[in-house]
Amino acid sequence: RDAALLAAGSLSAARCRAFVQLQQDAVTRTSINAVSEGRDLVDLADAANISVSLYHPKLATSVAWSEDLKGSLFATLGYAALAVLVALLLALPAPLAIGAVVVGLFAVTTCLGVLEVVGVTVNVATYTACLMSLGLCTDSACHVCCAAAHAVRRPATIAFRWRRALELCGHDVLHGAAASVLGTLVILAANSDAFRVWSCVNLVVLVVSCLLAMVSLPAVAALAGNLKTQYLKS
């Protein structure tokens, strides 16, 4: 059953099992790159003019599990975005609440794009990081939106309101992001691939969330306010 024969009876293909000896020491074992060892086996077979393909018995299960996790990720993100929007509508005007959630979704989209570019699949670590990115970015945007909605009591232009909001809460948002970056760098130094992947994705999320909440959101809001003012005057 592990061999395929041609009609003439000659061997066409065979399934062989390869065993790799691992070190008992955990540090030495984690330093071994399984991918490079697999490539060495392929190169060894190619040198002997033997066509080989690497295959793991759990490959089909891993692929199916990854696809199921990808579907669960998008479904969970949708429910989480809806829950965050409902919560923000209790404290913010509808345009600001929607803007904060949209900023969070942009951060998630950026996070997924980075994962696609670097070739990282959806796994438990990236699943957690993507879900956290929605909350992290929405939190930063919520601080700025709350300041824009409640910091200025007297009638003011949209641009002045957002500038005042950044003056009041910009330092706090940057301070919180810097503290999160320091904590993430500590986790990045852990001797675990899962922690490293999660930390790298989280660093991207923190940088993107600060840029979106403190640059993109105020700029777009001020531009929209100016366009609305010019339209009403005309």
Side-chain angles (χ1 to χ4, degrees):
R1 66 180 182 180
D2 290 343
L5 302 177
L6 297 176
S10 59
L11 181 64
S12 173
R15 183 171 61 186
C16 304
R17 293 174 176 84
F19 298 92
V20 179
Q21 183 178 1
L22 298 178
Q23 301 293 330
Q24 293 183 352
D25 181 57
V27 177
T28 306
R29 185 168 62 250
T30 55
S31 64
I32 297 176
N33 191 343
V35 177
S36 63
E37 289 192 350
R39 290 173 179 171
D40 292 340
L41 289 175
V42 174
D43 294 339
L44 182 62
D46 290 339
N49 295 324
I50 301 174
S51 177
V52 298
S53 299
L54 293 179
Y55 176 81
H56 195 277
K58 295 183 179 180
L59 177 61
T61 304
S62 300
V63 172
W65 181 81
S66 178
E67 292 297 327
D68 291 341
L69 189 61
K70 187 183 300 183
S72 300
L73 172 62
F74 289 113
T76 307
L77 286 173
Y79 290 127
L82 182 60
V84 170
L85 177 60
V86 172
L88 291 181
L89 287 174
L90 300 176
L92 292 174
L96 294 181
I98 295 174
V101 174
V102 170
V103 167
L105 293 177
F106 279 157
V108 173
T109 304
T110 305
C111 182
L112 295 174
V114 171
L115 294 178
E116 181 67 24
V117 170
V118 299
V120 178
T121 58
V122 177
N123 50 50
V124 176
T126 55
Y127 176 86
T128 306
C130 289
L131 289 181
M132 288 183 60
S133 65
L134 177 62
L136 289 173
C137 192
T138 304
D139 177 68
S140 302
C142 187
H143 281 292
V144 181
C145 290
C146 286
H150 305 295
V152 181
R153 298 297 181 183
R154 67 179 188 276
T157 62
I158 299 296
F160 176 80
R161 185 179 295 274
W162 283 97
R163 185 182 68 181
R164 182 59 178 165
L166 292 177
E167 291 174 353
L168 292 176
C169 70
H171 177 269
D172 296 333
V173 173
L174 288 177
H175 189 273
S180 299
V181 168
L182 291 178
T184 305
L185 291 177
V186 173
I187 300 176
L188 184 62
N191 189 19
S192 171
D193 291 336
F195 284 164
R196 294 192 189 101
V197 171
W198 182 89
S199 300
C200 292
V201 176
N202 198 47
L203 287 175
V204 174
V205 169
L206 290 172
V207 174
V208 171
S209 62
C210 281
L211 292 176
L212 290 175
M214 300 190 64
V215 179
S216 300
L217 179 61
V220 172
L223 177 61
N226 292 334
L227 293 176
K228 180 180 178 180
T229 303
Q230 294 176 4
Y231 175 78
L232 293 177
K233 289 181 178 180
S234 61

